Amino acid sequence: MDYFYAACEELRKPEIIGKPVIVGADPKSGKGRGVVMTCNYEARKYGIHSAMPISIAYRTKPDAIFLPMDYAYYEETSGKVMQVLKNFADDFEQVSIDEAYLDISSKADSFEGAAAYAKKIKDAVKEKVGLNCSIGVSFNKLLAKMASDAAKPNGIKVVEEDKVHAFLDSMPVRKLYSVGEKTGERLAAMGYGTIGKLSKANKMELIAEFGSIGLELHNYANGIDESRLMQAALAKSIGREMTFETDTYNRDDIESGLRKLSEEVAKETVKGGFAFSIVTVKLRYGDFSEKLKSKSIKPSSDVKEIYETAVKLYLDNAEKNRKLRKIGVRVSGLIQYGKQRRLG
DNA sequence: TCTGGGGTCCTAGGACCC
DNA sequence: TCTGGGGTCCTAGGACCC
């Protein structure tokens, strides 16, 4: 989906269409903590983008329309979109709230036919939900995904078998799926600044540097991806995090934060019908250094177990003279004992 | 300029079991 | 006195994605 959260807001507030719209943290007149979740293309004209600190977005365009996240509404809208998409697919994999893979092998016998079919899907999403999406069409998931990125906004991009290198080679290596900031820097230092250069790299050199990921990088750079669509899987962990308005080492503030987070996590695990056997606490200090501390326990579904384990992990491991910026609570080792309900 | 919150997967050492 | 190989679980850390 194109700029999904901001597009959802435009859908229910047509009067904001055409103005810069930013969904994310409360800017608090430039003092707010947090980031831009997404923004529409009018806001992007000013250089605003996802993950940008909200304070900078505010400084850049103080008269933009700033809106808080409304997950429940976005989930509901996402559900409608996914329902439309499923009806067009032989096989279907939802990847996130606003992305999905569709296997349409039986629906077209050429890429030309597939492109026409993609247009039908786009039109149906627009007609039934009212939102624009972008579609990548290719012969594997990697290339379909990268083509859909290239198709944004509101486009369709096809990558045929004999056009893989024409499509990938000139892109900076950072655009390759699975290459983030760190791997991008290491690849650049090795002389692989573009996907084309990476595609010709020596496999063994990449394996020596990155282990099994090195082989994956080489395959991806050559457009090779044999992964299949995955069936919806049960959650592996459930967590909640919060950033303090100002950094703190006050024990009462931190413990009440852990209590609130534990309660939310417990509510979510009960909703999913899960017990858990591992509790993890995240501690982020003012300098952004982060520690995760975890403890295995007897399987439980009790909020008290989460809270008491979380507080113990905090007390045993936090450096009490350093202020904390963020805390988090997560449970894993999930065992489903009850009926699954949809997780939000 | 100052950096969120939800996740997943991979690696690795040590403990422990057979 | 010196000692293998296979496996799982626990804990911690790192990277990435949306």
Side-chain angles (χ1 to χ4, degrees):
Chain A
M1 302 305 294
D2 295 341
Y3 64 98
F4 183 58
Y5 299 158
C8 288
E9 297 295 349
E10 288 181 354
L11 187 61
R12 64 176 171 181
K13 301 186 187 86
E15 66 276 12
I16 67 177
I17 292 173
K19 299 176 183 167
V21 175
I22 299 167
V23 177
D26 182 348
K28 296 184 179 165
S29 310
K31 296 196 184 76
R33 288 187 139 176
V35 297
V36 174
M37 297 299 304
T38 192
C39 60
N40 65 4
Y41 281 81
E42 281 73 19
R44 291 181 201 198
K45 284 180 199 157
Y46 299 92
I48 295 164
H49 56 84
S50 296
M52 173 186 260
I54 199 77
S55 54
I56 295 181
Y58 185 82
R59 233 164 295 165
T60 305
K61 190 67 184 157
D63 59 346
I65 295 171
F66 289 87
L67 297 170
M69 296 280 288
D70 182 352
Y71 279 110
Y73 170 59
Y74 309 145
E75 293 259 344
E76 183 196 330
T77 309
S78 168
K80 289 180 190 166
V81 172
M82 297 301 161
Q83 202 46 57
V84 173
L85 297 181
K86 273 181 202 170
N87 288 330
F88 282 90
D90 300 327
D91 194 8
F92 180 81
E93 176 187 344
Q94 183 173 347
V95 182
S96 70
I97 193 165
D98 73 337
E99 273 194 347
Y101 291 105
L102 283 70
D103 180 351
I104 58 158
S105 298
S106 81
K107 314 290 187 185
D109 49 18
S110 66
F111 279 109
E112 229 169 53
Y117 194 75
K119 180 72 167 69
K120 275 196 200 172
I121 299 172
K122 256 178 80 60
D123 290 348
V125 172
K126 183 74 176 181
E127 189 208 317
K128 299 224 158 70
V129 189
L131 293 177
N132 291 330
C133 61
S134 298
I135 302 182
V137 181
S138 195
F139 55 92
N140 66 35
K141 288 170 71 179
L142 172 81
L143 291 167
K145 156 79 178 151
M146 292 184 67
S148 86
D149 289 340
K152 285 174 190 297
N154 201 20
I156 294 170
K157 167 82 184 168
V158 181
V159 178
E160 296 101 329
E161 283 100 330
D162 58 350
K163 302 280 178 13
V164 171
H165 282 285
F167 175 60
L168 292 178
D169 279 5
S170 64
M171 290 186 190
V173 79
R174 187 68 174 74
K175 292 261 183 190
L176 190 64
Y177 184 79
S178 85
V179 176
E181 195 188 345
K182 306 283 179 182
T183 308
E185 282 169 9
R186 284 166 73 185
L187 287 171
M190 294 167 76
Y192 304 124
T194 64
I195 298 178
K197 283 187 179 161
L198 181 61
S199 73
K200 294 187 196 76
N202 179 281
K203 258 189 216 181
M204 267 319 298
E205 185 199 4
L206 293 175
I207 291 169
E209 174 69 20
F210 297 100
S212 62
I213 286 173
L215 187 59
E216 188 181 78
L217 288 171
H218 192 271
N219 284 335
Y220 283 3
N222 285 283
I224 297 167
D225 171 24
E226 316 231 307
S227 66
R228 317 311 304 176
L229 268 62
M230 287 190 296
Q231 300 312 304
L234 292 178
K236 303 224 160 85
S237 71
I238 296 169
R240 290 290 182 274
E241 302 178 355
M242 59 172 284
T243 297
F244 293 112
E245 287 203 11
T246 53
D247 298 357
T248 181
Y249 37 54
N250 181 287
R251 189 171 151 178
D252 291 343
D253 290 349
I254 292 162
E255 289 190 11
S256 78
L258 291 174
R259 178 175 295 280
K260 212 178 97 191
L261 294 172
S262 299
E263 281 164 4
E264 287 174 20
V265 168
K267 204 169 121 187
E268 202 66 16
T269 55
V270 167
K271 208 203 277 185
F274 290 109
F276 50 84
S277 62
I278 302 169
V279 177
T280 304
V281 162
K282 176 185 281 196
L283 305 171
R284 175 182 281 175
Y285 294 100
D287 67 357
F288 259 70
S289 64
E290 222 168 53
K291 282 222 179 328
L292 295 170
K293 296 292 172 185
S294 60
K295 181 99 192 88
S296 290
I297 57 170
K298 274 195 308 184
S300 166
S301 57
D302 186 356
V303 63
K304 248 185 77 187
E305 282 291 333
I306 305 178
Y307 174 65
E308 285 171 6
T309 310
V311 167
K312 183 164 168 41
L313 284 168
Y314 153 66
L315 290 174
D316 289 351
N317 294 288
E319 298 172 50
K320 304 298 182 304
N321 55 346
R322 289 178 72 197
K323 288 188 176 177
L324 286 169
R325 179 187 180 92
K326 171 158 97 171
I327 55 175
V329 174
R330 178 167 297 278
V331 295
S332 53
L334 299 182
I335 303 160
Q336 192 174 45
Y337 65 90
K339 191 169 169 261
Q340 186 196 20
R341 272 167 282 176
R342 243 189 57 174
L343 294 181

